[in-house]
Structure formats: C-alpha cells, structure tokens
Amino acid sequence: MAALFPHKSLVVNNKDKDELELERELTRTLENKVMLLYFGSGECPRCQEFAPILKEFFVKLTDEFYMERASQLVLIYVSLDNTEEKQEKFLKKMPKRWLFLPFQDEFKKELALRFSVTHPPVVVVLKPNGEVIAHNAVEEIKQQGTDCFKNWQEAADLVDRSFLLSQDSEDVTLRSITDPLRRFNKGGDQGELLIAGGF
C-alpha cells in the first residue's frame, strides 16, 4: 500500500503532527489493512453532514473502548479544503488516528483524478495491495454502519492475527507486554507481521 504514496509523507492527526516519512514506517502503518481515502472538505455541506458519521464509524472500529482489538483499518484524509486553516479546523474535530497528506502536497490532485472524485464526500476503499474494493462507500457506511467493514475485510483477504494471539496466550504467563512478540519473532515472518501491525 505504501506504493500508492511513493516518496510521500503522511501526517498523523495528533497535536504533534507526527510525519510518517520513511517507506518502512509507512509500510508498517498501512500493510495488511483496509485503507479508506476520504476526499472531503470542512466547508462542503454534504461533507459536514457525513463527517460525524464517518468519525463514529472509524472510532467504533478502531477504539478499544468499543472493541477488544482494533480493526485492520486506516483512514487517510485527502483534503479538498481551500486553505490550510480550514483543513486544520476540520481535522481538530476528527480522530487522532486519522492520517492526512500535507496541505501543500499536489499529490492530492493526482489522487482525486485517479479515483475520479468530482462531488465530495467520497470514500474510496482499497485492499492492502491498492486494488479498489469500493469506488465510493459513503452510502454503504451511512446505511450499514460498521457491518460493511466485514465485507471489505473478506474482499481484502486480510491476514487475521487474532487467532495467533489467543493461541499464543493460552496457559502462558507473560513476563512482559512484549513477550508474545519475542516468542513470535523466533518463528520469523509471523513475528515480523505482528510487530508491523502494531501488536
């Protein structure tokens, strides 16, 4: 998925505005996840109506308050705002785990052309390899809520690591929070996947 953003930096929507610049860092953040590209604007009335729905949708799938394990989902805001101030004002109301392209990055226009975005809001749903699952999932999200994620997950053929974690923790006393990572790492690829996924 990092191939979709070659030599680009994505910014984390937190107060420090951490940038994910290195290809390795981007790959760790995006791999084995369904990616949502949200094309929107804080000024657009239809976007204003949809943004709270998308926010709730994302939070319910990624916040541990709602779920035992965060879903394999990443969202990138592709701003169609007129000014950086408007973009920042919009993002202040949105989840801290959202990512976004820097305002001045011209790649936003290229993405809008690539996915034929004309009337926002538009949510493009992509597999980890960049293939399109849905060209615009706005109505799907409105009507089905978090249930539509299960369909995307199946379409994306994500590697489900939950069974590995539960299998690993049965009848075992963990010495530290990173213990399962160390033990999986001895197995090679599985450990790297686990660490890359942020577990």
Side-chain angles (χ1 to χ4, degrees):
M1 190 63 90
L4 186 64
F5 297 94
H7 315 297
K8 294 290 168 190
S9 62
L10 290 171
V11 186
V12 182
N13 187 32
N14 58 21
K15 65 180 174 59
D16 298 325
K17 300 286 184 266
D18 297 323
E19 287 200 21
L20 303 174
E21 290 179 311
L22 300 175
E23 194 171 330
R24 187 179 62 203
E25 200 174 16
L26 262 180
T27 301
R28 280 185 181 171
T29 303
L30 304 179
E31 79 170 350
N32 197 37
K33 290 181 183 166
V34 169
M35 179 191 285
L36 305 184
L37 295 181
Y38 173 47
F39 295 86
S41 158
E43 300 295 297
C44 146
R46 288 175 63 227
C47 299
Q48 287 173 351
E49 180 192 322
F50 177 66
I53 297 167
L54 182 61
K55 177 182 178 178
E56 183 182 5
F57 172 85
F58 182 82
V59 168
K60 282 188 173 176
L61 285 168
T62 58
D63 195 310
E64 288 167 11
F65 179 80
Y66 295 97
M67 306 196 72
E68 188 178 324
R69 218 173 113 262
S71 297
Q72 292 160 288
L73 179 70
V74 65
L75 186 146
I76 298 169
Y77 177 55
V78 185
S79 166
L80 303 175
D81 296 295
N82 295 325
T83 66
E84 192 167 2
E85 290 72 30
K86 287 177 181 175
Q87 175 180 299
E88 284 183 13
K89 185 180 173 186
F90 170 74
L91 283 168
K92 277 182 183 169
K93 303 174 200 161
M94 294 300 119
K96 301 287 180 262
R97 290 182 180 157
W98 278 21
L99 303 173
F100 62 95
L101 283 158
F103 180 78
Q104 56 278 14
D105 195 331
E106 291 296 310
F107 188 55
K108 294 185 298 180
K109 291 177 185 171
E110 193 180 310
L111 285 171
L113 279 171
R114 185 184 302 187
F115 296 108
S116 307
V117 175
T118 49
H119 301 293
V122 170
V123 176
V124 180
V125 185
L126 301 169
K127 294 180 182 183
N129 65 4
E131 284 179 38
V132 176
I133 297 173
H135 288 280
N136 191 359
V138 168
E139 290 307 314
E140 197 178 347
I141 291 168
K142 281 182 182 178
Q143 291 165 19
Q144 297 179 33
T146 55
D147 288 345
C148 57
F149 179 74
K150 293 180 192 114
N151 301 331
W152 303 340
Q153 198 173 18
E154 285 173 22
D157 296 323
L158 299 182
V159 178
D160 183 8
R161 303 186 191 112
S162 59
F163 78 96
L164 295 174
L165 290 170
S166 59
Q167 192 179 50
D168 183 59
S169 60
E170 283 175 18
D171 304 320
V172 176
T173 305
L174 300 183
R175 288 186 295 276
S176 78
I177 198 160
T178 58
D179 205 36
L181 300 182
R182 286 196 209 99
R183 274 185 279 129
F184 270 108
N185 209 18
K186 290 175 188 167
D189 292 344
Q190 283 181 326
E192 287 164 23
L193 279 173
L194 263 163
I195 292 165
F199 293 103

